[in-house]
């Protein structure tokens, strides 16, 4: 497989390096398998012969025309953490060439992939419309508002939808690169992960901070504060709406618009977050933790933890 990795001014250093390192490692370890997959030919392309990364390193590239012969285009993230500045960049003239390259690549039906803030570049190029995608969990509310035609699942670490693959937050670049290796050889992907000491992370849910997501909307932020106070009690969404001074319908719209879920789902997220914290930091029995987060039966919490984090209560406690 010929893989073109785009390096552009302001690219996230670790993201670029992770993609290159994992694919290079996969090539180096191929011969350890009895039936190795074909090697990956990886080319770092750019709009100039030398680009400057987000922290100022210089990277030599070959012309982007090489992408026309590639079997896959990888677009690492932009080194920008501020949502407003990120959106201004991906919609502005600085990223015009990137957007055009991504769009032209998909017009040729060549797969493209990105992670973290790079998913905004893919979305802005229009290649995610009508598809399922993921992005950095903490940027999901901004992504969802900006790109309503995309179905966002910020709990996933890696998603693939009709030739476009996206991955989660910053170091999701490692997961993205391993997913690319896994498409050719699951055995090689597992081998590389073991050498790199990378655990499988199918979900970002365990890392999500619900309070951070809520801060992007004043109504949701107020509801989040109220819900946390009442987390150990049966929670009425109607009562919560009255407490923050809005109608229940307005609250439902705010939660759906920002988080892509319902108020009940958001409260469940808060309960999972709190229960996970207690499992990691205390020796309290699961039955006691369940009551502290509003569940009479420990098994209800056990099932919810598994669904939302992909891990058992015992695994979370082991951490």
């Amino acid at each position: 497989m010929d893989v073109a990795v785009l390096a552009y001014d302001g690219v996230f250093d670790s993201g670029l390096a992770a993609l290159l390192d994992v694919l290079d490692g996969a090539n180096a370890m191929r011969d350890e398998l009895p039936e190795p997959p074909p090697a990956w030919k990886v080319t770092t392309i750019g709009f100039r012969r030398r680009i400057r990364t987000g922290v100022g390193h210089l990277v030599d590239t070959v012309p982007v025309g090489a992408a026309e012969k590639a079997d896959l285009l990888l677009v690492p993230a932009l080194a920008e953490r501020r949502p407003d500045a990120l959106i201004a960049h991906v919609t502005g003239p600085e990223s015009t060439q990137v957007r055009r390259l991504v769009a032209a690549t998909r017009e040729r039906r060549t797969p493209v992939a990105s992670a973290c803030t790079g998913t905004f570049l893919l979305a802005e190029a229009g290649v995610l419309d009508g598809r399922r995608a993921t992005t950095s969990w903490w940027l999901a509310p901004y992504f969802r508002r900006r790109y309503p035609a995309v179905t966002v699942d910020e709990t996933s670490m890696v998603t693939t939808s009709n030739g476009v693959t996206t991955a989660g937050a910053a170091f999701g670049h490692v997961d993205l690169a391993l997913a690319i290796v896994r498409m050719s050889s699951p055995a090689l992907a597992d081998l590389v992960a073991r050498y790199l000491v990378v655990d499988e992370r199918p979900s970002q849910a365990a890392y999500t901070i619900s309070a951070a997501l809520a801060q992007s909307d004043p109504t949701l932020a107020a509801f989040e504060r109220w819900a946390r106070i009442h987390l150990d009690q049966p929670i009425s969404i109607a009562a919560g709406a009255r407490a923050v001074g809005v109608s229940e319908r307005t609250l439902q719209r705010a939660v759906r618009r920002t988080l892509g879920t319902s108020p009940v789902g958001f409260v469940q997220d808060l309960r999972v977050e709190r229960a996970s914290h207690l499992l990691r930091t205390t020796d309290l029995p699961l039955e006691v933790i369940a009551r502290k987060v509003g569940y009479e039966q420990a098994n209800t919490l056990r099932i919810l933890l598994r669904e939302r984090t992909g891990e058992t209560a015992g695994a979370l406690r082991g951490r």
Side-chain angles (χ1 to χ4, degrees):
M1 176 183 286
D2 286 349
V3 179
V5 181
L6 178 64
Y8 55 93
D9 287 334
V11 71
F12 179 53
D13 292 65
S14 294
L16 174 62
L19 294 173
L20 296 174
D21 284 344
V22 171
L23 292 174
D24 182 67
N27 278 334
M29 298 175 200
R30 287 172 52 251
D31 292 335
E32 295 188 30
L33 298 179
E35 297 181 3
W40 287 266
K41 178 186 175 183
V42 182
T43 305
T44 303
I45 65 173
F47 299 105
R48 297 201 318 276
R49 290 289 185 179
R50 178 172 290 178
I51 65 95
R52 188 175 296 275
T53 68
V55 298
H57 293 135
L58 297 176
V59 176
D60 291 330
T61 70
V62 302
V64 293
E68 295 180 8
K69 298 179 180 180
D71 301 304
L72 171 66
L73 172 65
L74 294 179
V75 183
L78 174 71
E80 179 55 73
R81 298 173 180 83
R82 299 164 298 169
D84 291 345
L86 169 62
I87 291 173
H89 184 98
V90 301
T91 59
E94 303 97 326
S95 69
T96 299
Q97 290 178 306
V98 179
R99 299 195 305 267
R100 287 175 177 169
L101 175 65
V102 170
T105 300
R106 282 305 297 151
E107 285 177 3
R108 295 191 299 272
R109 298 186 179 276
T110 300
V112 299
S114 188
C116 192
T117 55
T119 59
F120 281 72
L121 288 166
L122 268 55
E124 197 64 34
V127 304
L128 288 177
D129 288 356
R131 290 177 168 83
R132 179 172 171 268
T134 190
T135 188
S136 299
W137 63 262
W138 53 278
L139 289 171
Y142 306 94
F143 190 103
R144 189 172 279 112
R145 283 200 295 267
R146 174 77 189 167
Y147 309 111
V150 183
T151 301
V152 186
D153 177 10
E154 66 270 30
T155 65
S156 295
M157 187 63 77
V158 179
T159 68
T160 298
S161 179
N162 297 326
V164 184
T165 301
T166 52
F171 289 100
H173 287 85
V174 174
D175 303 84
L176 176 61
L178 286 172
I180 291 165
V181 175
R182 186 167 285 109
M183 290 175 188
S184 295
S185 173
L188 182 56
D190 291 342
L191 182 64
V192 174
R194 293 187 70 176
Y195 271 105
L196 296 180
V197 194
V198 178
D199 293 329
E200 185 179 7
R201 301 177 296 179
S203 174
Q204 296 185 85
Y207 306 91
T208 301
I209 303 172
S210 297
L213 296 176
Q215 298 314 304
S216 62
D217 183 278
T219 298
L220 184 53
F223 177 67
E224 183 256 341
R225 289 192 295 270
W226 177 87
R228 284 189 184 278
I229 295 172
H230 300 85
L231 212 55
D232 61 343
Q233 307 164 24
I235 288 182
S236 163
I237 302 305
R242 288 195 299 271
V244 300
V246 299
S247 68
E248 187 173 354
R249 193 169 187 175
T250 297
L251 177 61
Q252 289 173 340
R253 283 200 299 264
V255 177
R256 179 68 61 183
R257 180 179 63 247
T258 305
L259 304 179
T261 188
S262 65
V264 171
F266 180 49
V267 170
Q268 288 177 332
D269 289 340
L270 295 176
R271 286 174 162 155
V272 167
E273 178 190 292
R274 178 64 175 160
S276 299
H277 174 74
L278 291 173
L279 282 167
R280 295 188 183 105
T281 60
T282 75
D283 294 324
L284 292 173
L286 187 62
E287 292 75 11
V288 174
I289 292 175
R291 289 194 293 273
K292 283 183 174 292
V293 297
Y295 295 115
E296 287 296 325
Q297 302 296 324
N299 197 49
T300 303
L301 176 60
R302 187 178 286 109
I303 293 171
L304 189 61
L305 287 168
R306 184 74 178 184
E307 289 177 349
R308 296 301 176 87
T309 69
E311 297 190 78
T312 64
L316 290 168
R317 170 147 278 166
R319 289 191 176 187

